[in-house]
Coordinates of all heavy atoms in Angstrom, one line a residue:
M354 N 0.8 -1.2 0.0 CA 0.0 0.0 0.0 C 0.9 1.2 0.0 O 1.9 1.3 0.7 CB -0.9 0.0 1.2 CG -1.7 1.2 1.4 SD -2.9 1.1 2.7 CE -4.3 1.0 1.8
W355 N 0.5 2.2 -0.8 CA 1.3 3.5 -0.9 C 0.9 4.4 0.2 O -0.2 4.6 0.6 CB 1.0 4.2 -2.2 CG 1.5 3.4 -3.4 CD1 0.9 2.5 -4.1 CD2 2.8 3.5 -3.9 NE1 1.7 2.0 -5.1 CE2 2.9 2.6 -5.0 CE3 3.9 4.2 -3.6 CZ2 4.0 2.5 -5.7 CZ3 5.1 4.1 -4.3 CH2 5.1 3.2 -5.4
D356 N 1.9 5.1 0.8 CA 1.7 6.1 1.8 C 1.3 7.4 1.1 O 2.1 7.9 0.2 CB 3.0 6.3 2.6 CG 2.9 7.5 3.6 OD1 1.8 8.0 3.7 OD2 4.0 7.8 4.1
A357 N 0.2 8.0 1.4 CA -0.3 9.2 0.7 C 0.7 10.3 0.7 O 0.8 11.1 -0.2 CB -1.6 9.6 1.2
N358 N 1.4 10.4 1.9 CA 2.4 11.5 2.0 C 3.5 11.4 1.0 O 4.1 12.4 0.7 CB 2.9 11.6 3.4 CG 1.8 12.0 4.4 OD1 1.0 12.8 4.0 ND2 1.8 11.5 5.6
S359 N 3.9 10.2 0.6 CA 5.0 10.1 -0.3 C 4.6 10.6 -1.7 O 5.4 10.7 -2.6 CB 5.4 8.6 -0.4 OG 4.5 7.8 -1.0
R360 N 3.3 10.8 -2.0 CA 2.8 11.2 -3.3 C 2.6 12.7 -3.4 O 2.1 13.2 -4.4 CB 1.6 10.5 -3.7 CG 1.8 9.0 -3.9 CD 0.5 8.3 -4.5 NE -0.7 8.6 -3.7 CZ -1.4 7.7 -3.1 NH1 -1.0 6.5 -3.0 NH2 -2.5 8.0 -2.5
M361 N 2.9 13.4 -2.3 CA 2.6 14.9 -2.2 C 3.8 15.7 -2.0 O 4.8 15.2 -1.4 CB 1.6 15.1 -1.1 CG 0.3 14.5 -1.3 SD -0.9 15.0 0.0 CE -0.5 13.9 1.3
H362 N 3.7 17.0 -2.4 CA 4.8 17.9 -2.1 C 4.2 19.3 -1.9 O 3.2 19.7 -2.6 CB 5.8 18.0 -3.3 CG 7.1 18.6 -2.9 ND1 8.1 17.9 -2.2 CD2 7.5 19.8 -3.1 CE1 9.1 18.7 -2.0 NE2 8.8 19.9 -2.5
H363 N 4.7 20.0 -1.0 CA 4.2 21.4 -0.6 C 5.0 22.5 -1.4 O 6.1 22.3 -1.8 CB 4.4 21.6 0.9 CG 3.6 20.7 1.7 ND1 4.0 19.4 2.1 CD2 2.4 20.9 2.3 CE1 3.1 18.9 2.8 NE2 2.1 19.7 3.0
T364 N 4.3 23.6 -1.5 CA 4.9 24.8 -2.2 C 5.0 25.9 -1.2 O 4.5 25.8 -0.1 CB 4.0 25.3 -3.3 OG1 2.8 25.8 -2.8 CG2 3.7 24.2 -4.4
S365 N 5.8 26.9 -1.5 CA 6.0 28.0 -0.7 C 4.7 28.8 -0.3 O 4.7 29.5 0.6 CB 7.0 29.0 -1.3 OG 6.6 29.4 -2.5
E366 N 3.7 28.6 -1.2 CA 2.4 29.3 -0.9 C 1.5 28.5 -0.1 O 0.3 28.9 0.1 CB 1.8 29.7 -2.3 CG 1.6 28.6 -3.2 CD 1.2 29.0 -4.6 OE1 1.2 30.2 -4.9 OE2 1.0 28.0 -5.4
G367 N 1.9 27.3 0.4 CA 1.0 26.5 1.2 C 0.2 25.5 0.5 O -0.7 24.9 1.1
H368 N 0.3 25.4 -0.8 CA -0.5 24.5 -1.6 C 0.2 23.1 -1.6 O 1.4 23.0 -1.3 CB -0.6 25.0 -3.1 CG -1.4 26.2 -3.2 ND1 -1.7 26.8 -4.4 CD2 -2.1 27.0 -2.3 CE1 -2.4 27.9 -4.2 NE2 -2.7 28.0 -2.9
I369 N -0.6 22.1 -1.9 CA 0.0 20.7 -2.0 C -0.3 20.2 -3.4 O -1.3 20.4 -4.0 CB -0.8 19.8 -1.0 CG1 -0.4 20.2 0.4 CG2 -0.4 18.4 -1.3 CD1 -1.2 19.4 1.4
W370 N 0.8 19.6 -4.0 CA 0.7 18.9 -5.3 C 0.6 17.4 -4.9 O 1.5 16.9 -4.1 CB 1.9 19.2 -6.1 CG 1.9 20.6 -6.7 CD1 2.2 21.7 -6.0 CD2 1.6 21.0 -8.0 NE1 2.1 22.8 -6.8 CE2 1.8 22.4 -8.1 CE3 1.3 20.3 -9.2 CZ2 1.6 23.1 -9.3 CZ3 1.1 21.0 -10.4 CH2 1.3 22.4 -10.4
S371 N -0.3 16.7 -5.6 CA -0.4 15.3 -5.3 C -0.5 14.5 -6.6 O -1.2 14.8 -7.5 CB -1.7 15.0 -4.5 OG -1.9 13.7 -4.2
A372 N 0.4 13.4 -6.6 CA 0.3 12.5 -7.7 C -0.9 11.5 -7.5 O -0.9 10.9 -6.4 CB 1.6 11.7 -7.8
M373 N -1.7 11.4 -8.4 CA -3.0 10.6 -8.2 C -2.8 9.2 -8.8 O -3.0 9.0 -10.0 CB -4.2 11.3 -8.8 CG -4.3 12.8 -8.3 SD -4.4 12.9 -6.5 CE -6.0 12.1 -6.2
W374 N -2.4 8.2 -8.0 CA -2.2 6.9 -8.4 C -3.5 6.4 -9.1 O -4.6 6.4 -8.5 CB -1.9 6.0 -7.2 CG -1.7 4.5 -7.5 CD1 -2.7 3.6 -7.4 CD2 -0.5 3.9 -7.9 NE1 -2.1 2.4 -7.7 CE2 -0.8 2.5 -8.1 CE3 0.8 4.3 -8.2 CZ2 0.1 1.6 -8.5 CZ3 1.7 3.4 -8.7 CH2 1.4 2.0 -8.8
G375 N -3.4 5.9 -10.3 CA -4.5 5.4 -11.1 C -5.4 6.5 -11.7 O -6.4 6.3 -12.4
G376 N -5.0 7.8 -11.5 CA -5.8 8.9 -11.9 C -5.3 9.6 -13.1 O -5.9 10.6 -13.5
W377 N -4.2 9.2 -13.7 CA -3.7 9.9 -14.9 C -3.4 11.4 -14.7 O -3.4 12.1 -15.7 CB -4.7 9.7 -16.1 CG -5.0 8.3 -16.5 CD1 -5.9 7.5 -16.0 CD2 -4.4 7.6 -17.6 NE1 -5.9 6.3 -16.7 CE2 -5.0 6.4 -17.7 CE3 -3.4 8.0 -18.6 CZ2 -4.6 5.4 -18.7 CZ3 -3.1 7.0 -19.6 CH2 -3.7 5.8 -19.6
C378 N -3.0 11.8 -13.5 CA -2.9 13.3 -13.3 C -2.1 13.6 -12.0 O -1.9 12.7 -11.2 CB -4.2 14.0 -13.3 SG -5.2 13.5 -11.9
V379 N -1.7 14.8 -11.9 CA -1.3 15.4 -10.6 C -2.3 16.5 -10.4 O -2.8 17.2 -11.3 CB 0.2 15.9 -10.6 CG1 1.1 14.8 -10.7 CG2 0.4 16.9 -11.7
I380 N -2.6 16.8 -9.1 CA -3.5 17.8 -8.7 C -2.9 18.7 -7.7 O -2.2 18.3 -6.8 CB -4.8 17.2 -8.1 CG1 -5.5 16.3 -9.1 CG2 -5.8 18.3 -7.6 CD1 -6.7 15.6 -8.6
R381 N -3.2 20.0 -7.9 CA -2.7 21.1 -6.9 C -3.9 21.5 -6.1 O -5.0 21.8 -6.6 CB -2.2 22.2 -7.7 CG -1.7 23.4 -6.9 CD -1.1 24.4 -7.9 NE -0.8 25.7 -7.2 CZ -0.5 26.8 -7.9 NH1 -0.6 26.8 -9.2 NH2 -0.2 27.9 -7.2
F382 N -3.8 21.4 -4.8 CA -4.8 21.8 -3.8 C -4.4 23.0 -3.0 O -3.2 23.1 -2.7 CB -5.0 20.6 -2.8 CG -5.6 19.3 -3.4 CD1 -4.7 18.3 -3.7 CD2 -6.9 19.2 -3.6 CE1 -5.2 17.1 -4.3 CE2 -7.4 18.0 -4.2 CZ -6.5 17.0 -4.5
N383 N -5.3 23.9 -2.7 CA -5.0 25.0 -1.9 C -5.1 24.6 -0.4 O -5.4 23.5 -0.1 CB -6.0 26.2 -2.3 CG -7.4 26.0 -1.9 OD1 -7.8 25.1 -1.1 ND2 -8.3 26.8 -2.4
P384 N -4.7 25.5 0.5 CA -4.7 25.2 1.9 C -6.1 24.8 2.5 O -6.1 24.1 3.5 CB -4.2 26.5 2.6 CG -3.4 27.1 1.5 CD -4.1 26.9 0.2
K385 N -7.2 25.1 1.8 CA -8.5 24.7 2.2 C -8.8 23.2 1.7 O -9.9 22.7 2.0 CB -9.6 25.6 1.7 CG -9.5 27.0 2.3 CD -10.6 27.9 1.7 CE -10.5 29.3 2.3 NZ -11.6 30.1 1.7
G386 N -7.9 22.7 0.9 CA -8.2 21.3 0.4 C -9.0 21.3 -0.9 O -9.4 20.3 -1.4
E387 N -9.2 22.5 -1.5 CA -9.9 22.6 -2.8 C -8.9 22.4 -4.0 O -7.8 22.9 -4.0 CB -10.5 24.0 -2.9 CG -11.5 24.3 -1.8 CD -11.8 25.8 -1.6 OE1 -11.0 26.6 -2.0 OE2 -13.0 26.0 -1.2
E388 N -9.4 21.7 -4.9 CA -8.6 21.5 -6.2 C -8.6 22.8 -7.0 O -9.6 23.3 -7.3 CB -9.2 20.3 -7.0 CG -8.5 20.1 -8.3 CD -9.1 19.0 -9.1 OE1 -9.7 18.0 -8.5 OE2 -9.1 19.0 -10.3
I389 N -7.4 23.2 -7.3 CA -7.3 24.5 -8.1 C -6.6 24.2 -9.4 O -6.7 25.1 -10.3 CB -6.6 25.6 -7.3 CG1 -5.2 25.1 -6.9 CG2 -7.4 26.0 -6.1 CD1 -4.3 26.3 -6.3
L390 N -6.0 23.1 -9.6 CA -5.4 22.8 -10.9 C -5.2 21.3 -11.0 O -4.8 20.6 -10.1 CB -4.0 23.4 -11.0 CG -3.2 23.2 -12.3 CD1 -3.9 23.8 -13.5 CD2 -1.8 23.7 -12.2
R391 N -5.5 20.7 -12.2 CA -5.3 19.3 -12.5 C -4.5 19.3 -13.8 O -4.9 19.9 -14.8 CB -6.7 18.6 -12.7 CG -6.6 17.2 -13.1 CD -7.9 16.5 -13.2 NE -8.6 16.6 -12.0 CZ -9.0 15.5 -11.3 NH1 -8.8 14.3 -11.8 NH2 -9.6 15.6 -10.1
I392 N -3.4 18.6 -13.8 CA -2.6 18.4 -15.0 C -2.7 16.9 -15.4 O -2.3 16.0 -14.7 CB -1.1 18.8 -14.7 CG1 -1.0 20.2 -14.3 CG2 -0.2 18.5 -15.9 CD1 0.4 20.7 -13.9
K393 N -3.3 16.7 -16.6 CA -3.4 15.4 -17.1 C -2.1 14.9 -17.6 O -1.3 15.7 -18.2 CB -4.4 15.4 -18.2 CG -5.8 15.7 -17.8 CD -6.8 15.7 -18.9 CE -8.2 16.0 -18.4 NZ -9.2 16.0 -19.4
L394 N -1.8 13.6 -17.4 CA -0.6 13.0 -17.8 C -0.8 11.9 -18.8 O -2.0 11.5 -19.0 CB 0.1 12.4 -16.6 CG 0.5 13.3 -15.4 CD1 1.0 12.5 -14.2 CD2 1.5 14.4 -15.9
L395 N 0.2 11.5 -19.5 CA 0.1 10.4 -20.5 C 0.2 9.0 -19.9 O 0.2 8.1 -20.6 CB 1.2 10.6 -21.5 CG 1.3 11.9 -22.3 CD1 2.5 12.0 -23.1 CD2 0.0 12.0 -23.1
V396 N 0.2 9.0 -18.5 CA 0.4 7.7 -17.8 C -0.7 7.5 -16.8 O -1.2 8.5 -16.2 CB 1.8 7.6 -17.2 CG1 2.8 7.6 -18.3 CG2 2.0 8.7 -16.2
Q397 N -1.0 6.3 -16.5 CA -2.1 5.9 -15.6 C -1.6 6.0 -14.1 O -2.4 6.3 -13.2 CB -2.6 4.5 -15.9 CG -3.7 4.0 -15.0 CD -4.2 2.6 -15.4 OE1 -3.8 2.1 -16.5 NE2 -5.0 2.0 -14.6
L398 N -0.3 5.7 -13.9 CA 0.1 5.5 -12.5 C 1.2 6.5 -12.1 O 2.4 6.1 -11.9 CB 0.6 4.1 -12.3 CG -0.4 3.0 -12.6 CD1 0.3 1.6 -12.5 CD2 -1.6 3.1 -11.7
P399 N 0.9 7.8 -11.9 CA 1.9 8.7 -11.3 C 2.1 8.2 -9.8 O 1.2 7.9 -9.1 CB 1.3 10.1 -11.3 CG -0.2 9.8 -11.5 CD -0.4 8.5 -12.1
T400 N 3.4 8.2 -9.4 CA 3.7 7.6 -8.1 C 4.0 8.7 -7.0 O 3.7 8.6 -5.9 CB 4.8 6.6 -8.1 OG1 6.0 7.2 -8.7 CG2 4.4 5.4 -8.9
S401 N 4.7 9.7 -7.5 CA 5.1 10.8 -6.5 C 5.5 12.0 -7.3 O 5.7 12.0 -8.5 CB 6.4 10.3 -5.7 OG 6.7 11.2 -4.7
C402 N 5.6 13.1 -6.6 CA 6.1 14.4 -7.2 C 6.9 15.2 -6.2 O 6.6 15.1 -5.0 CB 4.9 15.2 -7.8 SG 3.6 15.6 -6.6
A403 N 7.8 15.9 -6.7 CA 8.7 16.7 -5.9 C 9.3 17.9 -6.7 O 9.5 17.7 -7.9 CB 9.8 15.9 -5.3
F404 N 9.5 19.0 -6.1 CA 10.1 20.1 -6.7 C 11.6 20.1 -6.7 O 12.2 19.6 -5.7 CB 9.6 21.5 -6.1 CG 8.2 21.8 -6.5 CD1 7.1 21.4 -5.8 CD2 8.0 22.6 -7.7 CE1 5.8 21.7 -6.1 CE2 6.7 22.9 -8.1 CZ 5.6 22.5 -7.3
G405 N 12.2 20.5 -7.8 CA 13.7 20.5 -7.8 C 14.2 21.6 -8.8 O 13.4 22.5 -9.2
G406 N 15.4 21.5 -9.2 CA 16.0 22.5 -10.0 C 16.6 23.6 -9.2 O 16.3 23.7 -8.0
E407 N 17.3 24.5 -9.8 CA 18.0 25.6 -9.1 C 17.0 26.5 -8.3 O 17.3 27.0 -7.3 CB 18.9 26.4 -10.0 CG 20.1 25.6 -10.4 CD 21.1 26.4 -11.2 OE1 21.1 27.7 -11.1 OE2 21.8 25.9 -12.0
D408 N 15.9 26.7 -9.0 CA 14.9 27.7 -8.4 C 13.7 26.9 -7.8 O 12.7 27.6 -7.4 CB 14.4 28.6 -9.4 CG 13.8 28.0 -10.6 OD1 13.6 26.7 -10.7 OD2 13.4 28.7 -11.6
L409 N 13.7 25.6 -7.7 CA 12.6 24.8 -7.1 C 11.3 25.0 -7.8 O 10.2 24.9 -7.2 CB 12.5 25.0 -5.6 CG 13.6 24.6 -4.7 CD1 13.4 25.0 -3.3 CD2 13.8 23.0 -4.8
R410 N 11.3 25.3 -9.1 CA 10.1 25.5 -9.9 C 9.9 24.4 -10.9 O 8.9 24.5 -11.7 CB 10.2 26.9 -10.6 CG 10.0 28.0 -9.7 CD 10.1 29.4 -10.4 NE 9.8 30.5 -9.5 CZ 8.7 31.1 -9.4 NH1 7.7 30.8 -10.2 NH2 8.5 32.1 -8.6
T411 N 10.7 23.4 -10.9 CA 10.5 22.2 -11.8 C 9.8 21.1 -10.9 O 10.3 20.7 -9.9 CB 11.8 21.7 -12.3 OG1 12.5 22.7 -13.0 CG2 11.6 20.5 -13.3
L412 N 8.6 20.7 -11.4 CA 7.9 19.6 -10.7 C 8.3 18.3 -11.4 O 8.0 18.1 -12.5 CB 6.4 19.8 -10.7 CG 5.6 18.8 -10.0 CD1 5.8 18.8 -8.5 CD2 4.1 18.9 -10.3
Y413 N 9.0 17.4 -10.6 CA 9.4 16.1 -11.1 C 8.3 15.1 -10.7 O 7.9 15.1 -9.5 CB 10.7 15.7 -10.6 CG 11.9 16.5 -11.1 CD1 12.3 17.6 -10.4 CD2 12.4 16.2 -12.3 CE1 13.4 18.4 -10.9 CE2 13.5 17.0 -12.9 CZ 13.9 18.1 -12.1 OH 14.9 18.9 -12.6
I414 N 7.9 14.3 -11.7 CA 6.8 13.3 -11.4 C 7.3 11.9 -11.8 O 7.7 11.7 -12.9 CB 5.6 13.7 -12.2 CG1 5.1 15.1 -11.9 CG2 4.4 12.7 -12.0 CD1 4.1 15.6 -13.0
T415 N 7.3 11.0 -10.8 CA 7.7 9.7 -11.1 C 6.4 8.9 -11.4 O 5.3 9.2 -10.9 CB 8.4 9.0 -9.9 OG1 7.6 9.1 -8.7 CG2 9.8 9.7 -9.6
T416 N 6.6 7.8 -12.2 CA 5.4 7.0 -12.6 C 5.8 5.5 -12.6 O 7.0 5.2 -12.4 CB 5.0 7.4 -14.0 OG1 6.0 7.0 -15.0 CG2 4.7 8.9 -14.2
A417 N 4.8 4.7 -12.7 CA 5.0 3.2 -12.6 C 4.3 2.5 -13.7 O 3.3 3.1 -14.3 CB 4.6 2.7 -11.2
S418 N 4.7 1.3 -14.0 CA 4.0 0.4 -14.9 C 3.6 -0.9 -14.2 O 3.0 -1.7 -14.9 CB 4.8 0.2 -16.1 OG 6.1 -0.5 -15.8
V419 N 4.0 -1.1 -13.0 CA 3.7 -2.3 -12.2 C 2.2 -2.6 -12.2 O 1.4 -1.8 -12.0 CB 4.3 -2.2 -10.8 CG1 3.6 -1.2 -10.0 CG2 4.2 -3.6 -10.1
G420 N 1.9 -3.9 -12.5 CA 0.6 -4.4 -12.5 C -0.3 -4.0 -13.7 O -1.4 -4.4 -13.7
L421 N 0.3 -3.3 -14.6 CA -0.5 -2.9 -15.8 C -0.5 -4.1 -16.8 O 0.5 -4.8 -17.0 CB 0.0 -1.7 -16.5 CG 0.0 -0.4 -15.7 CD1 0.6 0.7 -16.5 CD2 -1.4 0.0 -15.3
S422 N -1.6 -4.3 -17.5 CA -1.7 -5.3 -18.5 C -1.0 -4.8 -19.8 O -0.7 -3.6 -19.9 CB -3.2 -5.6 -18.9 OG -3.8 -4.4 -19.5
Q423 N -0.7 -5.6 -20.7 CA -0.1 -5.2 -22.0 C -0.9 -4.1 -22.7 O -0.4 -3.1 -23.2 CB 0.2 -6.3 -22.9 CG 1.1 -6.0 -24.1 CD 2.4 -5.4 -23.7 OE1 3.1 -6.0 -22.9 NE2 2.8 -4.2 -24.3
A424 N -2.2 -4.3 -22.7 CA -3.1 -3.3 -23.3 C -3.0 -1.9 -22.6 O -3.0 -0.9 -23.3 CB -4.5 -3.8 -23.3
E425 N -2.9 -1.9 -21.3 CA -2.8 -0.7 -20.5 C -1.4 0.0 -20.8 O -1.3 1.2 -20.9 CB -2.9 -0.9 -19.0 CG -4.4 -1.3 -18.7 CD -4.5 -1.7 -17.2 OE1 -3.7 -2.5 -16.8 OE2 -5.4 -1.2 -16.5
I426 N -0.4 -0.9 -20.9 CA 1.0 -0.3 -21.2 C 1.0 0.3 -22.6 O 1.5 1.3 -22.9 CB 2.0 -1.4 -21.1 CG1 2.2 -1.8 -19.6 CG2 3.4 -1.0 -21.7 CD1 3.1 -2.9 -19.3
D427 N 0.3 -0.4 -23.6 CA 0.2 0.1 -24.9 C -0.5 1.5 -24.9 O -0.2 2.4 -25.7 CB -0.5 -0.9 -25.8 CG 0.3 -2.1 -26.1 OD1 1.5 -2.1 -25.8 OD2 -0.3 -3.1 -26.5
K428 N -1.5 1.6 -24.0 CA -2.3 2.9 -24.0 C -1.5 4.0 -23.3 O -1.7 5.2 -23.6 CB -3.6 2.6 -23.2 CG -4.5 3.8 -23.2 CD -5.8 3.4 -22.4 CE -6.7 4.6 -22.4 NZ -8.0 4.3 -21.6
S429 N -0.6 3.6 -22.4 CA 0.2 4.6 -21.7 C 1.7 4.2 -21.7 O 2.3 3.9 -20.8 CB -0.2 4.8 -20.2 OG -0.1 3.6 -19.5
F430 N 2.2 4.3 -23.0 CA 3.6 3.8 -23.3 C 4.7 4.4 -22.4 O 5.7 3.7 -22.1 CB 3.9 4.0 -24.7 CG 5.2 3.4 -25.2 CD1 5.3 2.1 -25.4 CD2 6.3 4.2 -25.3 CE1 6.5 1.5 -25.7 CE2 7.5 3.7 -25.7 CZ 7.7 2.3 -25.9
S431 N 4.5 5.6 -21.9 CA 5.5 6.2 -21.1 C 5.5 5.9 -19.6 O 6.2 6.4 -18.8 CB 5.4 7.8 -21.2 OG 5.6 8.1 -22.5
S432 N 4.6 4.9 -19.2 CA 4.5 4.5 -17.8 C 5.9 4.0 -17.4 O 6.6 3.3 -18.0 CB 3.5 3.3 -17.7 OG 2.2 3.8 -17.9
G433 N 6.3 4.4 -16.2 CA 7.6 4.1 -15.6 C 8.6 5.2 -15.9 O 9.7 5.2 -15.3
D434 N 8.3 6.2 -16.7 CA 9.2 7.3 -17.0 C 9.1 8.4 -15.9 O 8.2 8.4 -15.1 CB 8.8 7.9 -18.3 CG 9.2 7.0 -19.5 OD1 9.8 6.0 -19.3 OD2 8.8 7.4 -20.6
L435 N 10.1 9.2 -15.9 CA 10.2 10.4 -15.1 C 9.8 11.6 -15.9 O 10.4 11.8 -17.0 CB 11.6 10.6 -14.5 CG 11.9 11.9 -13.7 CD1 11.1 11.9 -12.4 CD2 13.4 12.0 -13.5
F436 N 8.9 12.5 -15.4 CA 8.5 13.7 -16.2 C 9.0 14.9 -15.4 O 9.1 14.9 -14.2 CB 7.0 13.7 -16.3 CG 6.4 12.6 -17.1 CD1 6.1 11.4 -16.6 CD2 6.2 12.8 -18.5 CE1 5.5 10.4 -17.4 CE2 5.7 11.9 -19.3 CZ 5.3 10.6 -18.7
A437 N 9.2 16.0 -16.1 CA 9.6 17.2 -15.5 C 8.8 18.4 -16.1 O 8.8 18.5 -17.3 CB 11.1 17.5 -15.7
L438 N 8.1 19.1 -15.2 CA 7.2 20.2 -15.7 C 7.6 21.5 -15.1 O 7.9 21.6 -13.8 CB 5.7 19.9 -15.2 CG 5.1 18.6 -15.7 CD1 3.7 18.5 -15.1 CD2 4.9 18.7 -17.2
Q439 N 7.8 22.5 -15.9 CA 8.1 23.8 -15.4 C 6.8 24.4 -14.8 O 5.8 24.4 -15.5 CB 8.7 24.7 -16.5 CG 10.0 24.3 -17.0 CD 11.1 24.2 -15.9 OE1 11.2 25.2 -15.1 NE2 11.8 23.1 -15.8
T440 N 6.9 25.0 -13.6 CA 5.7 25.6 -13.0 C 6.0 27.1 -12.7 O 7.1 27.6 -12.8 CB 5.4 24.9 -11.7 OG1 6.4 25.2 -10.7 CG2 5.3 23.4 -11.9
D441 N 4.9 27.8 -12.3 CA 5.0 29.2 -11.9 C 5.1 29.4 -10.4 O 4.9 30.5 -9.9 CB 3.9 30.0 -12.5 CG 2.5 29.5 -12.1 OD1 2.4 28.5 -11.4 OD2 1.5 30.2 -12.4
V442 N 5.2 28.3 -9.7 CA 5.3 28.3 -8.2 C 6.6 27.7 -7.7 O 7.3 27.0 -8.5 CB 4.1 27.5 -7.6 CG1 2.8 28.2 -7.9 CG2 4.1 26.1 -8.0
T443 N 7.0 28.0 -6.5 CA 8.2 27.5 -5.9 C 7.9 26.5 -4.9 O 7.1 26.7 -4.0 CB 9.0 28.7 -5.3 OG1 9.2 29.7 -6.3 CG2 10.3 28.2 -4.7
G444 N 8.6 25.3 -5.0 CA 8.4 24.2 -4.1 C 9.3 24.5 -2.9 O 10.1 25.4 -2.9
L445 N 9.1 23.8 -1.8 CA 9.9 23.9 -0.6 C 11.1 23.0 -0.7 O 11.0 21.9 -1.2 CB 9.1 23.6 0.6 CG 7.9 24.5 0.9 CD1 7.1 24.0 2.1 CD2 8.4 25.9 1.2
P446 N 12.2 23.4 -0.2 CA 13.4 22.5 -0.2 C 13.2 21.3 0.6 O 12.4 21.3 1.6 CB 14.6 23.4 0.3 CG 13.9 24.5 1.0 CD 12.5 24.7 0.4
A447 N 13.8 20.2 0.3 CA 13.7 19.0 1.1 C 14.4 19.2 2.4 O 15.4 19.9 2.5 CB 14.4 17.8 0.4
Y448 N 13.9 18.6 3.4 CA 14.4 18.7 4.8 C 15.4 17.5 4.9 O 15.1 16.4 4.7 CB 13.4 18.6 5.8 CG 13.9 18.7 7.2 CD1 14.3 19.9 7.8 CD2 14.1 17.6 8.0 CE1 14.8 20.0 9.1 CE2 14.6 17.6 9.3 CZ 14.9 18.8 9.8 OH 15.5 18.9 11.1
N449 N 16.6 17.8 5.3 CA 17.6 16.8 5.6 C 17.7 16.5 7.1 O 18.0 17.4 7.9 CB 19.0 17.2 5.1 CG 19.1 17.4 3.6 OD1 18.5 16.6 2.9 ND2 19.7 18.4 3.1
F450 N 17.5 15.2 7.4 CA 17.6 14.8 8.8 C 19.1 14.5 9.1 O 19.8 14.0 8.3 CB 16.8 13.5 9.0 CG 15.3 13.7 8.9 CD1 14.7 13.5 7.7 CD2 14.6 14.2 10.0 CE1 13.3 13.7 7.6 CE2 13.2 14.4 9.9 CZ 12.6 14.1 8.7
S451 N 19.5 14.9 10.3 CA 20.9 14.6 10.7 C 20.9 13.6 11.8 O 19.8 13.4 12.5 CB 21.6 15.9 11.1 OG 21.0 16.5 12.2
E452 N 22.0 13.0 12.0 CA 22.1 12.0 13.1 C 22.2 12.6 14.5 O 22.6 13.6 14.7 CB 23.3 11.0 12.8 CG 23.1 10.3 11.6 CD 24.2 9.3 11.3 OE1 25.2 9.2 12.1 OE2 24.2 8.7 10.3

């Protein structure tokens, strides 16, 4: 079972981006939990998303092909690939835990 938190990433404005497993998309939610943007993807199984790049404005989206039938793979040939989308928002830097 996937942990929902591993599929989400926060932005500097308090919004959350979530990879929607089985949903063919990533969704941006405002602090009230309302959907404000849906980006359709070419793949059925986005697994996670995180901001990166020098300015933290690139949204990286990982995807999977595990458990898909051959027909589903044919329909979403890019399953398992990594996608990078330029955004107009800034993600938060990753927190590094120390010992």
Side-chain angles (χ1 to χ4, degrees):
M354 174 174 252
W355 291 94
D356 174 8
N358 291 326
S359 68
R360 294 191 306 246
M361 294 187 278
H362 197 79
H363 295 85
T364 66
S365 60
E366 57 191 1
H368 293 180
I369 293 175
W370 288 73
S371 180
M373 305 305 291
W374 178 265
W377 298 83
C378 66
V379 292
I380 298 176
R381 182 178 170 192
F382 296 96
N383 68 16
K385 293 180 181 180
E387 301 164 329
E388 180 180 326
I389 57 172
L390 179 65
R391 179 179 296 242
I392 298 175
K393 294 181 181 181
L394 301 173
L395 301 174
V396 297
Q397 181 176 349
L398 304 176
T400 57
S401 187
C402 57
F404 283 91
E407 289 185 28
D408 59 1
L409 293 175
R410 289 180 176 258
T411 303
L412 183 66
Y413 292 95
I414 304 164
T415 57
T416 67
S418 61
V419 64
L421 296 178
S422 68
Q423 187 59 50
E425 290 171 315
I426 290 172
D427 292 344
K428 186 176 178 183
S429 60
F430 184 76
S431 297
S432 292
D434 289 354
L435 173 67
F436 294 87
L438 301 174
Q439 293 301 313
T440 70
D441 60 352
V442 297
T443 303
L445 296 177
Y448 180 78
N449 292 322
F450 293 95
S451 61
E452 295 181 2

